[in-house]
Amino acid sequence: MIHRDEPAGTFLLTGDGFGYALAVEPDGSPRHLHWGAPLDPADPPRLLADADAARIGSNTWSRPRAHTEELVTAGGARFDECALALADAPLDPRFVESEVDGDRLALRLADGPLVVTLRYEVRGPALVRGLELHNTGDEPVTLTRASSATWSVPWQVGYHATTLGGGYAAETTVRRVPLGPGKLVCESRRGIPGHAFQPWLAVDDDAGEDHGELWSVAVAHGGSWRIVAELSGDGHLHLTAGAGDAVLRLSPGARLRLPDTIGVYSPTGRAGLTHRWHDYEREHVLRRPDEVRPVLYNSWEATFFAVGHDDQVALARRAHDLGVELFVVDDGWFTGRDDDRGGLGDWRADPAKLPGGVAALADEVHALGMRFGLWVEPESVNPGTDLYRDHPDWVYRWPGREPTAVRHSYGLDFADPDVREWAFGWLDALVRDGHVDYLKWDLNRSLTDAPGYASRCHEAGFRAVVDRLRAAHPDLWLETCASGGGRADLATLSRFETAWPSDNTDAFERLAIQDGYAFVHSPLTMSCWVTDSPGYLTRRTVPLAFRFHAAMTGTLGIGGRLADWPEADLTAARTFVALYKQIRATVQLGRRWRLRADPDRTAVCHVGQDGGQVVVLVFARTVRQSHLAPPIRLRGLDPDARYRDTTTDVTYTGTFLTHHGLRPVLAGDYASSLVVLTRE
Ligand code: DGJ
């Protein structure tokens, strides 16, 4: 809902559990007034008057109210981190007109020929802010900064930033650091969101799991991005968010829509923040948001590049016998792909490996009653392929220089319409002729040898190919992967049914990665595989139950060498998969509550959409004599209800489970427990 107070020049935007207010001042500058709890429509004019009072105390070194501009631009006495800057002139856009359309507000500003439109949209618990540039003049306009929004956080006693990140095989670790005066810059310059940070950041003063306020911002963009948290010396914090830095040239008449940024506020601590992000994703972002994801098998860790028709069929039979519903053949199925040095670009099934082609393998998988999926990496090419020989000009390279090889491949320029046409052509044929139901779309290199703005153009090209493919194959499912979780942003997740959060399948280490992924993203897209132990990355030995339980906190998959699994493990796996199918609607679509998240003990509980089923998973790295079985308090339960443990038949009250807790049976190292409760 949007309320406009015409005489005061204020706007109040109200969503599910939040309010956001801004004003247009008499001189036409847009002023930020509020982001936080919902307000009364009478409040914004009063806030504006109060901002005037604050001016009295402001110093003479900056513009009056310098820290509360709705969009910080470069020019005049402004010294804060700016969202927009011109190369050769100051920028001070002033109000031209506004338009309110339901839950949308557009504020049009202009400075000379450059028209800047600030776009706002209330979407459930989130506010979406975007920005559009239009060069109405006869000369080109050059920008040296083009972020999408300045988000102001209300004044706090102290500030902490929470980020989700790490690196390859260590993505999305939750970190909380104090902010001092100055800047925290989180970004990717890689042409994809990258592994170091999710394009997301949250700020709080003293919030905990259950209490306190948090303000968080995400950039919905699958390319390079940047979020800067700047705390001024006098205690104002703002977050500048958008696509990564680049010099942008707007030719006369050109319009440019910058990526959306999304702001979510929580008054109920970190748990509330997570739930609001999940609600936003489910209601406004994800594809097939109400459909549970199938149990998947992926061949990567079982066969790596040694793909063969008979071996894959044998794996598929075993996987099917365990209850798997979707069988995915990973890398290695096409010509020249015996390792990662060749093949990318020549997307023909290797006749020595798949004599009947992709379709023959797909048909056998279908005959078993499973869906069939295949791995692709459309944006890369290996030198030595026919594609590279025929089109050396399709790769990113600086004039006169050799392209940079990453994992032995070069980057294909998806901004080039010929490249996009080629990519769509073979993907379309592969899906149709290969009887493919599911594609795992991987990218194992960062964008190199291209100017900064190429990231924006590449991302737009990538989206265009994906959108065209989806339109041509409405039943196709997609998985996003970039060497694990390198491309799991909101723009990409709006096009892909599922994501591969990390190559790290060590169940113990993965708990932290999953915890961070699910901090903001719904478990519906969080693909988790049970693989062999010891795993190929960490060589840690983890029991099968722990591996299954860890994967059952998201979308369960299996990725082990099933031919080597002893009968006892296969029998246990069958039971785990069957149990998972009984709880997956709760895990994937219900409310997720973090109960414990420390290296020694992790516990999570999922409460089904109707509250009828509760799934509790507890993990201990080691069980100490002095600490045998502390009770784990559950969250999200109805205190007036009774819950029955479906294994022991013991019935508990909601108050007992909430205030005292369950005592799951844990023993030894890498111990885990899964408890399913049903509401009586
Ligand atoms: C990186 C992915 O994250 C892995 O799962 C696998 O698909 C390999 N690429 C294949 O090259």
Side-chain angles (χ1 to χ4, degrees), residues 171-243:
E171 298 88 336
T172 54
T173 306
V174 183
R175 292 200 176 81
R176 185 168 175 270
V177 293
L179 290 174
K183 292 181 189 177
L184 171 71
V185 180
C186 299
E187 66 178 344
S188 160
R189 296 184 295 274
R190 295 173 171 274
I192 52 167
H195 303 81
F197 297 103
Q198 271 281 313
W200 180 94
L201 186 116
V203 172
D204 71 278
D205 175 0
D206 60 353
E209 230 10 72
D210 283 316
H211 70 274
E213 292 178 291
L214 293 108
W215 294 261
S216 59
V217 168
V219 181
H221 182 56
S224 299
W225 60 275
R226 192 164 191 262
I227 300 179
V228 180
E230 184 175 36
L231 181 60
S232 69
D234 50 2
H236 288 270
L237 181 82
H238 60 231
L239 310 173
T240 309

Side-chain angles (χ1 to χ4, degrees), residues 81 97 115 167 213 226 304 306 332 395-396 402 450 560 608 622 640 644:
E81 174 78 12
E97 59 181 359
V115 175
E213 292 178 291
R226 192 164 191 262
F304 290 102
V395 308
Y396 291 106
E402 280 303 302
T622 190
D640 297 330
R644 184 173 52 83

Side-chain angles (χ1 to χ4, degrees), residues 168 298 300 305 330-331 337 340 375 377 407 440 442-444 479 481-485 500 502-503 529 536:
Y168 170 73
N298 178 293
W300 176 240
F305 296 98
D330 208 280
D331 201 349
R337 195 65 173 168
D340 59 8
W375 178 94
E377 186 174 341
R407 207 197 187 200
K440 175 178 175 183
D442 198 352
L443 176 61
N444 291 292
E479 172 180 343
C481 170
S483 296
W500 181 230
S502 180
D503 273 359
W529 308 342
Y536 81 112

Side-chain angles (χ1 to χ4, degrees), residues 82-390:
C82 68
L84 286 184
L86 295 179
D88 45 17
L91 181 60
D92 192 5
R94 300 293 172 103
F95 180 73
V96 177
E97 59 181 359
S98 67
E99 193 186 320
V100 176
D101 173 14
D103 276 339
R104 295 195 188 135
L105 163 68
L107 272 192
R108 214 161 332 278
L109 319 173
D111 185 356
L114 187 65
V115 175
V116 178
T117 306
L118 276 58
R119 297 196 172 280
Y120 299 81
E121 186 179 342
V122 175
R123 282 193 207 148
L127 180 67
V128 179
R129 291 185 59 190
L131 203 144
E132 213 171 278
L133 304 171
H134 182 193
N135 178 5
T136 61
D138 302 329
E139 299 293 324
V141 169
T142 304
L143 292 116
T144 51
R145 172 70 55 82
S147 292
S148 301
T150 306
W151 292 85
S152 294
V153 176
W155 189 87
Q156 307 293 311
V157 175
Y159 295 92
H160 290 84
T162 300
T163 59
L164 308 171
Y168 170 73
E171 298 88 336
T172 54
T173 306
V174 183
R175 292 200 176 81
R176 185 168 175 270
V177 293
L179 290 174
K183 292 181 189 177
L184 171 71
V185 180
C186 299
E187 66 178 344
S188 160
R189 296 184 295 274
R190 295 173 171 274
I192 52 167
H195 303 81
F197 297 103
Q198 271 281 313
W200 180 94
L201 186 116
V203 172
D204 71 278
D205 175 0
D206 60 353
E209 230 10 72
D210 283 316
H211 70 274
E213 292 178 291
L214 293 108
W215 294 261
S216 59
V217 168
V219 181
H221 182 56
S224 299
W225 60 275
R226 192 164 191 262
I227 300 179
V228 180
E230 184 175 36
L231 181 60
S232 69
D234 50 2
H236 288 270
L237 181 82
H238 60 231
L239 310 173
T240 309
D245 261 356
V247 175
L248 292 181
R249 276 192 189 79
L250 282 184
S251 38
R255 289 175 190 271
L256 184 65
R257 176 119 192 216
L258 303 179
D260 284 342
T261 64
I262 291 97
V264 171
Y265 160 78
S266 165
T268 48
R270 291 146 61 106
L273 189 74
T274 292
H275 297 156
R276 283 166 185 236
W277 275 105
H278 289 186
D279 288 350
Y280 171 67
E281 274 201 348
R282 290 268 319 282
E283 286 159 28
H284 299 277
V285 178
L286 299 185
R287 300 190 55 80
R288 309 182 209 273
D290 301 318
E291 257 181 81
V292 290
R293 294 341 190 205
V295 177
L296 158 157
Y297 179 87
N298 178 293
S299 67
W300 176 240
E301 291 194 28
T303 53
F304 290 102
F305 296 98
V307 170
H309 179 98
D310 293 345
D311 292 352
Q312 294 296 318
V313 171
L315 264 178
R317 290 214 174 94
R318 283 182 177 257
H320 177 253
D321 177 55
L322 300 183
V324 165
E325 298 156 314
L326 163 65
F327 184 80
V328 183
V329 177
D330 208 280
D331 201 349
W333 58 270
F334 46 101
T335 51
R337 195 65 173 168
D338 294 327
D339 54 32
D340 59 8
R341 293 176 174 269
L344 295 176
D346 292 347
W347 295 100
R348 300 180 298 272
D350 184 338
K353 293 179 173 179
L354 302 182
V358 171
L361 181 53
D363 291 349
E364 294 218 39
V365 169
H366 288 150
L368 288 167
M370 293 185 291
R371 287 195 257 169
F372 177 74
L374 202 60
W375 178 94
V376 291
E377 186 174 341
E379 297 150 273
S380 308
V381 59
N382 288 119
T385 53
D386 293 345
L387 183 78
Y388 186 65
R389 262 190 305 273
D390 294 346

Side-chain angles (χ1 to χ4, degrees), residues 625-643:
Q625 193 278 332
S626 57
H627 224 77
L628 274 178
I632 301 277
R633 293 181 186 181
L634 307 193
R635 305 174 63 212
L637 303 193
D638 177 353
D640 297 330
R642 284 170 192 274
Y643 296 87

